Amino acid sequence: MSASLLFLLVLLVGASAFVMGRSRAMATAGGKLSSLHSLPGYHGSYAAIWALLPSLLVLAVWLVAAPPMIDRSVLFHLPTDVLNQGSAPAQLALGQVKSVARGLALLSDAERSALDSGAINLRDAMGAKGIPLAGAGEPWMIESATTFNRMTANSHLAMAGVVLLLAIGGTLLALRGISQRFRARNRVEQVILGGLILASSIAILTTIGIIGSMLSEALRFFASVSPTEFFFGTVWDPRFAAAGQAGQAGQFGLLPLLAGTLYIAFVAMLFAVPVGLFAAIYMAEYASNTVRSIAKPLLEILAGIPTIVYGFFALVTVGPFLRDISGQLNGLVTGNYASFIQAQSVLTAGIVMGIMLIPFVSSLSDDIITQVPGSLRDGSLGLGATRSETIKRVVLPAALPGIVGALLLTASRAVGETMIVVLAAGVAARMQINPFEPMTTVTVKIVNQLTGDLEFTSPQTLVAFALGITLFAITLCLNIYALYIVRKYREQYE
């Protein structure tokens, strides 16, 4: 029995348990529902939980644990000469055995008899079923594949029996405990609470795992490169060609990359925040329902465009346009038509990234502004304030905590952008304040350091993890500051 069919059967048992649990509770009440501690629906949910939770948990564990155990058993029974060749050849042989096992399941009785009698060889028989083999095949492969299929079938049969018995047994056990004073609601809510705690724990543990994986590799980097040199260095020159040579490990100064990251993100926010926020105010406070229903989806289309497309737009349109217009302006003023804005520059990347960030600001801010209670607007207008004064002095301060959250999300998106920066701002790691020249960001260099056939043993590669943990720290600081702002103004306006 396949796992999907077994899953459907368990769901069917769970649905039946819900119906039977609800019916038993109503029968126990004798038509007087007030005598029950919990509503009949809670009793049905309690029975369904007992039918589904243990059986699905065993099903999941079985599906994860059984295949490796079968593989290990089949691998152990491979011929001795194959096992003596080493781990890699043995695993390759096991892969061939599993391929043969899939092919044997597709053979008819006549084809299997011809294969056993030697009328056709194993390679031709498998090729006819669309399963290629590297060689002609060995007789022991058929025997091992047959063993693999038998063990897999027995495992599926045992799994189906155990899971269905657990589902049915859980149903009977739950039905037996249903009575008038049984606290089914409390039990169901405990299970739901446990599920919520489990979901929260998964999210927290995932975050801890990400931090741990980056931090462990970053510590390996700092074992060979001084943290002072990394955090306060002003030169980025990893020198891949000279990696491993004494005295030629390169320079890993973070400041040029950090300056480029913050500079480009600042220019992008400088462009995106006013446009996005004003668009949100218009759609929330001034636009009619017809205009809003058309303008908001069109604006949100920007969020669905891949960032590489924005990069192409910057490379072939925005960058050349800024370069050419700067040359024209320079010619009109000085007579020298040399461009003072390069096609790849901080300004180009900031403008294009700002266009990409507009829907993040506008959509989130619009939803937050529309959630401000209408009584605040009515009270302000009733006191004689104009619409613009109401928006400026009542609506926006009330919505400020949510707007700060929207801006934080936008800033995090800007700090982590890669493709637009590569195509619009270049890869030059430099420290300068001229927005008309190229710079690069931390994320671009992370990609550069991990691109190619490299081993995770040299500082040139491990520095990517140090850059990653630095970005994480920056984002964490942004979150902490945003929480401070949100709590301060929430106390003021709630």
Side-chain angles (χ1 to χ4, degrees):
M1 181 181 296
S2 65
S4 58
L5 178 59
L6 181 59
F7 179 73
L8 292 177
L9 289 177
V10 172
L11 291 183
L12 181 61
V13 173
S16 302
F18 176 83
V19 174
M20 289 187 292
R22 188 174 183 276
S23 300
R24 181 175 178 83
M26 295 178 67
T28 303
K32 188 178 180 181
L33 297 181
S34 59
S35 63
L36 293 174
H37 174 274
S38 306
L39 293 174
Y42 282 105
H43 290 274
S45 299
Y46 173 75
I49 288 173
W50 267 101
L52 294 175
L53 195 59
S55 56
L56 292 181
L57 182 61
V58 170
L59 176 61
V61 173
W62 201 300
L63 290 176
V64 172
M69 295 177 64
I70 295 174
D71 290 350
R72 191 179 302 111
S73 178
V74 173
L75 181 64
F76 180 76
H77 289 89
L78 291 179
T80 305
D81 57 340
V82 175
L83 295 177
N84 291 337
Q85 294 177 7
S87 176
Q91 290 295 332
L92 180 60
L94 178 62
Q96 290 182 323
V97 168
K98 294 168 71 173
S99 298
V100 172
R102 291 195 303 270
L104 291 180
L106 301 176
L107 296 179
S108 62
D109 293 338
E111 292 172 332
R112 180 60 188 270
S113 299
L115 179 63
D116 293 337
S117 63
I120 58 175
N121 61 38
L122 182 59
R123 183 177 185 178
D124 294 338
M126 296 297 102
K129 300 302 178 180
I131 299 176
L133 291 180
E138 300 292 340
W140 59 264
M141 291 184 179
I142 300 178
E143 181 181 355
S144 298
T146 303
T147 303
F148 179 84
N149 284 339
R150 183 179 66 253
M151 295 180 66
T152 302
N154 292 338
S155 174
H156 287 174
L157 183 61
M159 178 180 66
V162 172
V163 170
L164 289 177
L165 283 177
L166 281 176
I168 296 173
T171 301
L172 296 177
L173 182 64
L175 294 176
R176 184 179 178 181
I178 292 178
S179 62
Q180 289 186 1
R181 306 312 303 165
F182 180 67
R183 300 175 178 269
R185 181 186 63 192
N186 296 2
R187 300 293 181 85
V188 172
E189 290 179 349
Q190 288 176 357
V191 174
I192 294 176
L193 178 61
L196 296 176
I197 294 175
L198 178 62
S200 302
S201 301
I202 291 174
I204 295 172
L205 292 176
T206 301
T207 304
I208 295 175
I210 292 173
I211 298 172
S213 62
M214 289 193 300
L215 189 59
S216 61
E217 299 296 333
L219 292 177
R220 292 177 58 192
F221 168 76
F222 289 126
S224 56
V225 176
S226 170
T228 304
E229 176 187 346
F230 175 73
F231 288 110
F232 300 101
T234 58
V235 178
W236 176 264
D237 184 18
R239 298 184 188 177
F240 274 105
Q245 299 180 10
Q248 298 293 327
Q251 295 175 281
F252 301 91
L254 173 66
L255 292 183
L257 307 183
L258 188 59
T261 300
L262 299 180
Y263 200 177
I264 294 175
F266 173 75
V267 174
M269 293 289 290
L270 203 61
F271 183 82
V273 171
V275 176
L277 191 56
F278 291 161
I281 293 173
Y282 170 74
M283 288 188 294
E285 300 294 333
Y286 292 98
S288 63
N289 292 333
T290 303
V291 174
R292 176 184 171 85
S293 63
I294 297 174
K296 188 172 182 179
L298 290 177
L299 187 60
E300 291 178 348
I301 289 176
L302 293 174
I305 299 176
T307 56
I308 187 65
V309 176
Y310 282 108
F312 289 149
F313 175 63
L315 184 66
V316 303
T317 303
V318 178
F321 171 77
L322 293 176
R323 180 195 60 200
D324 296 341
I325 197 67
S326 66
Q328 295 294 328
L329 292 175
N330 193 25
L332 292 176
V333 175
T334 65
N336 181 8
Y337 285 87
S339 301
F340 58 87
I341 300 179
Q342 299 186 29
Q344 286 188 325
S345 64
V346 173
L347 184 62
T348 303
I351 290 176
V352 176
M353 193 186 299
I355 295 173
M356 180 197 68
L357 297 176
I358 286 175
F360 288 89
V361 179
S362 64
S363 182
L364 294 174
S365 300
D366 176 39
D367 294 337
I368 293 163
I369 291 173
T370 54
Q371 292 176 4
V372 175
S375 57
L376 294 179
R377 296 179 177 86
D378 296 338
S380 176
L381 296 173
L383 291 173
T386 63
R387 173 175 282 187
S388 61
E389 291 173 337
T390 299
I391 294 171
K392 182 174 63 175
R393 299 184 179 182
V394 176
V395 176
L396 289 182
L400 186 61
I403 293 176
V404 170
L407 298 184
L408 171 65
L409 176 62
T410 307
S412 301
R413 185 71 177 84
V415 169
E417 178 53 40
T418 304
M419 293 310 302
I420 294 177
V421 180
V422 171
L423 298 178
V427 294
R430 60 174 69 178
M431 293 185 64
Q432 48 91 21
I433 60 174
N434 187 357
F436 304 145
E437 294 183 0
M439 292 184 75
T440 193
T441 63
V442 172
T443 55
V444 172
K445 289 306 177 182
I446 290 176
V447 175
N448 289 344
Q449 300 307 113
L450 297 179
T451 301
D453 187 12
L454 304 171
E455 295 183 358
F456 288 86
T457 56
S458 64
Q460 286 78 8
T461 303
L462 295 175
V463 68
F465 297 96
L467 295 174
I469 202 71
T470 303
L471 273 184
F472 174 81
I474 293 173
T475 306
L476 179 63
C477 292
L478 287 175
N479 278 276
I480 293 174
Y481 181 70
L483 287 175
Y484 167 74
I485 296 296
V486 168
R487 290 177 180 176
K488 176 181 178 181
Y489 287 97
R490 180 172 294 170
E491 293 175 357
Q492 183 175 353
Y493 292 104
E494 282 188 350

